[in-house]
Amino acid sequence: MAFIDMIISLFCVAVLLNVRNTVTAERCFTFKGDSFLVFSPSAPYDNKNSAHFELEFKTQGLNGLLMYARGDTNNDTEALYIRGGHLHYHIFNTGSNGIGREFGAHFVSNERVDNNAWIKLNVFRTKELVSIFRHSRDSAWKTGIEFELSGVLRSYTDGYQRHNIDISNTIYIGGYRQSVSNSVGNFTGQMRGIREYTNGHRFELPSLNYKSKVDLHCFDLQPQ
């Protein structure tokens, strides 16, 4: 009986560990428009040049900052936000090559995303994608946003190859320590499954939960 009890105990531990890993893999956050999270992944995480972020969000808010980052020693900035119900992705690069030789890129969705439904979003920044559908493994560069809405993939990207983007490892989720726009404040809604594929990193445990006001689980907010 003691041996059977031990086997049952080990099985229960394994189930609990599996549940914990599942929850961690889809860590969910609720933002009320009055706070934000800060993530500061340590080396070898590298947020310069190429990146591929993925996250899911749900909101009824017309405006809100989803993600923000900037360079340590220059004015390079990256912002993902909602304004007027539409999704925006903006990146500014002050390097000698600039971005697309125009020193910036700004993508705006035609569709509104303030529909209180979960939307899975992919963000590409000068990401090298390799095609496996051709005889030769051709490389392509992609910057912009892609998401699915009503079962249809919406894509707002370009194919420029970009250089000298210097974005630090400190990434703000759901807001920033100061206003970055007169019309876009902190995010109100939920986010989950935040990850960056180039570094194989999941954003689960923030280094700062500003004033501890972001709930580390998801629940529906009442419309204001």
Side-chain angles (χ1 to χ4, degrees):
M1 292 295 295
F3 177 76
I4 294 176
D5 290 341
M6 182 180 69
I7 295 297
I8 293 174
S9 297
L10 290 174
F11 175 77
C12 291
V13 170
V15 170
L16 286 173
L17 288 175
N18 183 62
V19 170
R20 287 179 181 177
N21 288 337
T22 301
V23 172
T24 300
E26 294 299 332
R27 180 61 65 89
C28 199
F29 308 105
T30 297
F31 300 83
K32 303 170 189 174
D34 57 358
S35 187
F36 56 87
L37 300 176
V38 182
F39 291 89
S40 300
S42 57
Y45 188 96
D46 183 3
N47 202 31
K48 294 178 173 60
N49 287 316
S50 189
H52 174 191
F53 292 95
E54 181 181 88
L55 61 89
E56 289 185 81
F57 71 92
K58 180 170 71 169
T59 185
Q60 298 180 72
L62 285 175
N63 307 291
L65 185 63
L66 294 169
M67 182 177 71
Y68 182 78
R70 62 184 307 127
D72 285 324
T73 59
N74 57 35
N75 293 321
D76 289 6
T77 57
E78 178 176 46
L80 175 68
Y81 56 95
I82 298 166
R83 183 164 62 192
H86 297 270
L87 192 62
H88 293 246
Y89 175 58
H90 169 80
I91 182 165
F92 181 75
N93 174 226
T94 58
S96 58
N97 292 320
I99 293 182
R101 298 182 180 178
E102 296 178 357
F103 300 99
H106 186 195
F107 303 89
V108 185
S109 70
N110 292 327
E111 303 81 13
R112 295 184 63 145
V113 296
D114 55 330
N115 56 5
N116 200 35
W118 283 108
I119 296 174
K120 179 175 284 189
L121 170 67
N122 280 268
V123 182
F124 304 95
R125 187 216 308 145
T126 191
K127 175 68 177 175
E128 184 178 16
L129 304 173
V130 179
S131 172
I132 60 174
F133 300 104
R134 301 180 182 181
H135 296 297
S136 60
R137 294 177 63 86
D138 297 333
S139 294
W141 297 89
K142 180 184 285 189
T143 293
I145 52 177
E146 289 185 345
F147 60 96
E148 189 174 286
L149 195 64
S150 301
V152 178
L153 179 65
R154 319 290 175 156
S155 181
Y156 300 91
T157 63
D158 67 30
Y160 287 117
Q161 181 177 354
R162 294 165 163 90
H163 303 282
N164 300 329
I165 300 175
D166 184 11
I167 301 291
S168 77
N169 286 355
T170 301
I171 300 169
Y172 296 81
I173 301 294
Y176 187 53
R177 60 176 179 256
Q178 62 193 49
S179 177
V180 297
S181 168
N182 292 330
S183 60
V184 179
N186 291 345
F187 175 71
T188 301
Q190 295 81 37
M191 275 190 260
R192 69 186 182 190
I194 308 171
R195 65 200 71 186
E196 200 285 308
Y197 283 106
T198 303
N199 291 280
H201 184 81
R202 295 180 184 272
F203 294 83
E204 299 171 340
L205 298 176
S207 56
L208 173 65
N209 181 351
Y210 183 65
K211 295 185 177 180
S212 300
K213 290 188 174 183
V214 177
D215 285 279
L216 303 186
H217 67 283
C218 277
F219 59 90
D220 287 332
L221 296 171
Q222 295 299 319
Q224 298 181 349

